[in-house]
Amino acid sequence: MSAHIAKDAIAKSFSKAASEYDEYARIQHVLAHELLTLCPRQDKKNVLDLGCGTGYCLPALQEIYPQAHITGGDLALGMLQHAQSQHPQFAYEISDAENLPFADEQFDLIFSSLAVQWCDDFSRVLSSAYRCLKPGGHLVLSNLAAGTLLELKQAWLEVDQHQHVNEFTVGTELLNNIDESAFTAVAVNINKHVDYHPNVRSLTDSLKRIGAHNLTAGRAKGLTSPSMIKQFKLAMEQQRHPQGLPASYAVLTCVLKK
Ligand SMILES: C[S@@+](CC[C@H](N)C(=O)[O-])C[C@H]1O[C@@H](n2cnc3c(N)ncnc32)[C@H](O)[C@@H]1O
């Protein structure tokens, strides 16, 4: 994320969304399953799911690594409490991806699906994960790049000059961060995914209900007037495809080895 967002605001927003998250997280679940297919099929004893949210990926990680001790880490206490209630068999730890609270060389694998786009500095995420991995350990991670939610951004630009959509770091900068890290890249890709919605309410609700609505400092203060919402809806409708209203996601996926 290129514009700074306070960590407590992020934690609060996701904590509030915890109980409804899985019901609305359609694209997040699809992308999590795609990322799980990239996990190295070799024995891993100690595994961290970083930004585990509701713990959705934890049982799948246990299936891939049946012998592993698995920890779910997340910035949002509410998410971890929800995860623990759903999956009490795993360990949980409040964790900030930019400053992990774990020992050096603790994990054989760190998995992270669509969590670190909330961090200011991807290079700090990489160095923190590197420190906590054993030599030979893997980081399997996805992140969002600029181009994500571009249809919403374009539609709001027709309404006013406020920032209504979160800013995402440009893909080339994320790739440079990987190049400059101490990791060896096994696989790195940026792919576009499009999620379609029947109407504007469904699209904006899906972001709000998972806690991923706009938290950036330049967001419009106060209420958005009914006429602005009408203008926004019209601008979105102009982008309609036969499948519905598009919401694009530019997704960086990487498998990195220490
Ligand atoms: C979109 S959800 C993804 C949850 C889960 N990985 C999944 O795929 O269902 C993003 C999660 O990242 C967490 N998060 C945001 N910033 C974080 C940070 N700096 N460190 C750790 N977790 C963070 C949020 O609290 C939220 O639970």
Side-chain angles (χ1 to χ4, degrees):
M1 188 85 50
S2 45
H4 173 74
I5 310 177
K7 294 247 154 110
D8 57 348
I10 297 168
K12 200 170 153 194
S13 180
F14 278 105
S15 287
K16 204 170 145 199
S19 61
E20 283 189 317
Y21 179 91
D22 284 319
E23 198 182 323
Y24 289 90
R26 182 178 65 191
I27 182 82
Q28 289 74 13
H29 287 169
V30 169
L31 295 171
H33 283 287
E34 283 185 19
L35 191 66
L36 283 161
T37 66
L38 300 182
C39 286
R41 280 1 190 214
Q42 50 187 247
D43 195 28
K44 300 281 183 192
K45 288 191 179 63
N46 224 340
V47 171
L48 172 67
D49 180 0
L50 177 57
C52 69
T54 57
Y56 179 80
C57 295
L58 298 174
L61 285 166
Q62 190 78 82
E63 244 179 67
I64 300 170
Y65 306 112
Q67 308 301 327
H69 176 269
I70 299 186
T71 303
D74 202 284
L75 192 65
L77 177 63
M79 278 292 192
L80 290 185
Q81 286 169 337
H82 185 80
Q84 183 144 40
S85 72
Q86 302 298 303
H87 311 287
Q89 67 274 37
F90 302 112
Y92 296 96
E93 190 84 40
I94 282 276
S95 313
D96 177 0
E98 285 177 287
N99 187 15
L100 290 174
F102 301 105
D104 293 0
E105 304 188 2
Q106 185 167 333
F107 297 104
D108 299 283
L109 176 98
I110 299 178
F111 174 88
S112 183
S113 184
L114 296 189
V116 302
Q117 64 275 7
W118 297 99
C119 294
D120 287 329
D121 186 348
F122 186 47
S123 66
R124 272 177 34 208
V125 173
L126 294 173
S127 58
S128 192
Y130 190 87
R131 180 186 65 74
C132 297
L133 280 168
K134 290 178 193 158
H138 287 91
L139 174 64
V140 178
L141 173 144
S142 61
N143 193 356
L144 294 176
T148 298
L149 302 180
L150 106 156
E151 297 84 358
L152 273 90
K153 199 171 175 178
Q154 276 167 3
W156 274 118
L157 276 177
E158 292 189 28
V159 180
D160 66 22
Q161 293 308 306
H162 286 292
Q163 190 181 333
H164 291 268
V165 180
N166 291 326
E167 281 293 327
F168 297 93
T169 307
V170 291
T172 47
E173 197 177 322
L174 299 176
L175 296 175
N176 282 341
N177 291 151
I178 292 175
D179 275 350
E180 287 161 11
S181 76
F183 281 108
T184 302
V186 177
V188 180
N189 282 298
I190 298 185
N191 287 313
K192 184 177 151 183
H193 297 257
V194 186
D195 192 27
Y196 292 97
H197 290 264
N199 51 48
V200 171
R201 168 58 77 88
S202 155
L203 201 170
T204 52
D205 255 17
S206 73
L207 296 173
K208 198 171 167 194
R209 301 297 179 99
I210 67 159
H213 51 298
N214 183 27
L215 291 163
T216 42
R219 70 190 185 273
K221 298 276 186 291
L223 288 176
T224 309
S225 71
S227 78
M228 288 166 77
I229 291 173
K230 196 171 164 195
Q231 261 180 287
F232 168 69
K233 284 183 172 170
L234 280 174
M236 277 305 298
E237 283 301 335
Q238 281 161 14
Q239 304 183 70
R240 185 178 279 282
H241 288 222
Q243 304 97 305
L245 295 179
S248 290
Y249 290 81
V251 185
L252 166 90
T253 54
C254 58
V255 180
L256 308 177
K257 189 173 179 186
K258 177 166 175 177

